[in-house]
Amino acid sequence: MKSFDLEGYLSSGVEQVIAGIMKATAKNPKESLFLIQYLRDSRKASRIRRAHADNGEHIPPFLIASITTQCNLHCRGCYARANHSCQDGIDLKHPMLRADAWGEIFRQAAELGIAFILLAGGEPFLRLDVLEQAALHKNILFPVFTNGTMLTEDSLALLSRSRNLVPVLSIEGNESTTDLRRGSGVYQMLVRSMKRLNEKGIVFAASVTVTKENLAETLSEDFVAALAEQGCKGIVYVEYVPIDAATKAQALDDVTRADMMNRLNTLREYREDMVLLAFPGDERSSGGCLAAGRGFFHINAFGGAEPCPFSPYSDVNVAAIGLREAMKSPLFVRLRESRNLEAEHIGGCVLFEQEQEVRKMLEESHDNQGTNCR
């Protein structure tokens, strides 16, 4: 039986996303010019990763980086606050990575053939210094997942001159649904932010956390059309990860996940002006979860390399040992070699339900290394 070509699968997926963005932004000359060059850079990055793969070293095509622990909102059901990776106040004993340290990580990523880094938080627009570093790396596309409430004139100016930074605004559905989860008045703030972005010709997308409660609403023709009218060029549908046993009922199961994908495919048939993505998507077609370095991994605000944002456990620090060595994390290796990434699960993260097992692997890794890491 022919072995699964993970490198080809991932590279093809990245190119499909880029092609979709190019189609959605065809009427924006500045964006089109940037994307033509970025497509060349992305293909070059793919060749670099393939060369590493031929030498027995797998490099994932994208990363997720949470550049701050701070956020101005307290959204209901927030996984980041539930796992204490997002908090009020600054921990002076454990300072977050400096902007220049993030700049060095981005440089190493480009060198290794990583051309797509999703920036999150907390609220990433609280770290304009890091976003300015990201803007310097034109051969990397940085979707910036934001709550959309902190777009100042300075941040809008940065986005206007830095086409490789693409704001992705979080929204939960209509006004009542969004405000119920994110706070009173947040929906109208999002509408104002979209208007400002559209007026300045800045390409932006939206992110929706999909639950059983909002699935029908957020994958309806009316909802997607309303966002398109605001100038939105894409929607990322992220499966809800339950933060505790009480919220498990909101997470998608096989039936509702199939419903989501059917609705999404129907929308794609006539919405060629938008990029419509599901995360994590069909894990069966990719041989299991893509976390722990198979397709991506997560870097927390302190530099710790984690399997994914929903599994916040780290045994190595990227800033201390470099990005290439961090990919060889003993925890990552054990997760990839085990069957953990292929397990059945409820909600958008297979590792979230294996917390105790991942913790055990982490403890064994620390025992072997004699180290600890945030």
Side-chain angles (χ1 to χ4, degrees):
M1 181 181 293
K2 186 179 179 181
S3 62
F4 177 63
D5 181 10
L6 182 62
E7 298 296 332
Y9 173 85
L10 294 170
S11 295
S12 174
V14 170
E15 286 214 5
Q16 287 178 24
V17 171
I18 298 169
I21 297 173
M22 292 183 74
K23 185 181 290 187
T25 59
K27 295 181 181 179
N28 187 321
K30 286 185 178 180
E31 196 69 23
S32 296
L33 188 63
F34 162 72
L35 285 170
I36 290 170
Q37 180 58 52
Y38 175 71
L39 183 59
R40 296 193 191 104
D41 291 335
S42 177
R43 287 172 175 166
K44 179 181 178 182
S46 180
R47 291 193 294 271
I48 293 171
R49 295 195 307 274
R50 175 61 74 178
H52 285 301
D54 290 343
N55 290 322
E57 184 178 14
H58 173 65
I59 305 295
F62 74 97
L63 300 175
I64 300 176
S66 291
I67 59 177
T68 179
T69 62
Q70 307 301 297
C71 186
N72 61 313
L73 297 183
H74 287 73
C75 300
R76 190 181 68 165
C78 175
Y79 76 87
R81 289 196 182 275
N83 66 29
H84 307 295
S85 60
C86 181
Q87 56 199 17
D88 295 321
I90 297 176
D91 186 348
L92 297 177
K93 292 182 179 179
H94 302 97
M96 291 182 284
L97 284 187
R98 290 164 50 98
D100 56 351
W102 280 113
E104 174 59 17
I105 290 172
F106 302 151
R107 185 196 67 76
Q108 292 176 28
E111 193 174 78
L112 288 168
I114 298 170
F116 194 96
I117 302 179
L118 188 159
L119 300 182
E123 170 48 50
F125 278 96
L126 288 170
R127 290 296 306 268
L128 271 185
D129 56 340
V130 179
L131 296 182
E132 287 168 353
Q133 284 288 329
L136 299 175
H137 298 271
K138 304 298 183 185
N139 51 353
I140 299 177
L141 189 67
F142 293 92
V144 186
F145 277 60
T146 170
N147 61 40
T149 66
M150 304 200 72
L151 294 181
T152 63
E153 287 303 317
D154 286 343
S155 60
L156 288 169
L158 175 62
L159 292 170
S160 185
R161 66 176 181 267
S162 308
R163 295 287 157 170
N164 61 328
L165 303 181
V166 180
V168 182
L169 281 63
S170 296
I171 190 167
E172 309 301 328
N174 61 27
E175 185 166 7
S176 60
T177 306
T178 298
D179 285 1
L180 180 64
R181 183 170 188 233
R182 296 193 165 263
S184 179
V186 170
Y187 180 87
Q188 287 302 323
M189 294 177 74
L190 282 167
V191 170
R192 288 193 291 272
S193 292
M194 290 181 190
K195 182 179 179 181
R196 295 172 74 193
L197 289 165
N198 198 32
E199 287 174 346
K200 292 181 178 295
I202 298 170
V203 170
F204 68 91
S207 169
V208 176
T209 300
V210 185
T211 67
K212 288 180 180 177
E213 294 175 349
N214 73 352
L215 188 155
E217 177 184 329
T218 56
L219 282 115
S220 68
E221 295 181 12
D222 289 345
F223 176 76
V224 175
L227 283 178
E229 288 175 8
Q230 296 283 351
C232 180
K233 295 302 181 184
I235 306 175
V236 182
Y237 290 96
V238 182
E239 288 187 41
Y240 175 70
V241 175
I243 61 172
D244 52 35
T247 58
K248 265 194 172 184
Q250 298 179 38
L252 304 187
D253 53 27
D254 285 346
V255 174
T256 46
R257 186 177 296 112
D259 182 24
M260 178 185 75
M261 295 309 300
N262 287 336
R263 290 171 183 265
L264 194 57
N265 288 331
T266 299
L267 288 168
R268 285 169 175 159
E269 289 179 4
Y270 72 94
R271 271 292 171 191
E272 293 189 356
D273 58 335
M274 298 182 78
V275 179
L276 301 171
L277 302 173
F279 184 82
D282 184 5
E283 294 178 335
R284 292 183 180 89
S285 66
S286 60
C289 175
L290 293 174
R294 282 193 77 235
F296 72 93
F297 68 90
H298 177 241
I299 306 172
N300 66 32
F302 309 97
E306 302 172 346
C308 82
F310 304 110
S311 187
Y313 305 105
S314 175
D315 59 353
V316 296
N317 189 286
V318 177
I321 67 173
L323 190 56
R324 191 170 192 169
E325 287 303 308
M327 293 181 190
K328 302 171 186 176
S329 149
L331 176 61
F332 289 2
V333 172
R334 291 198 64 180
L335 285 169
R336 291 196 300 265
E337 292 178 348
S338 71
R339 303 300 296 270
N340 298 70
L341 298 176
E342 302 172 27
E344 294 293 325
H345 61 98
I346 295 174
C349 180
V350 64
L351 294 179
F352 190 85
E353 293 188 350
Q354 301 181 55
E355 180 180 5
Q356 295 308 315
E357 194 166 348
V358 177
R359 279 181 177 273
K360 184 179 179 181
M361 289 184 184
L362 181 67
E363 289 170 3
E364 291 172 352
S365 173
H366 284 163
D367 289 343
N368 291 334
Q369 297 181 89
T371 59
N372 201 354
C373 180
R374 283 188 67 87

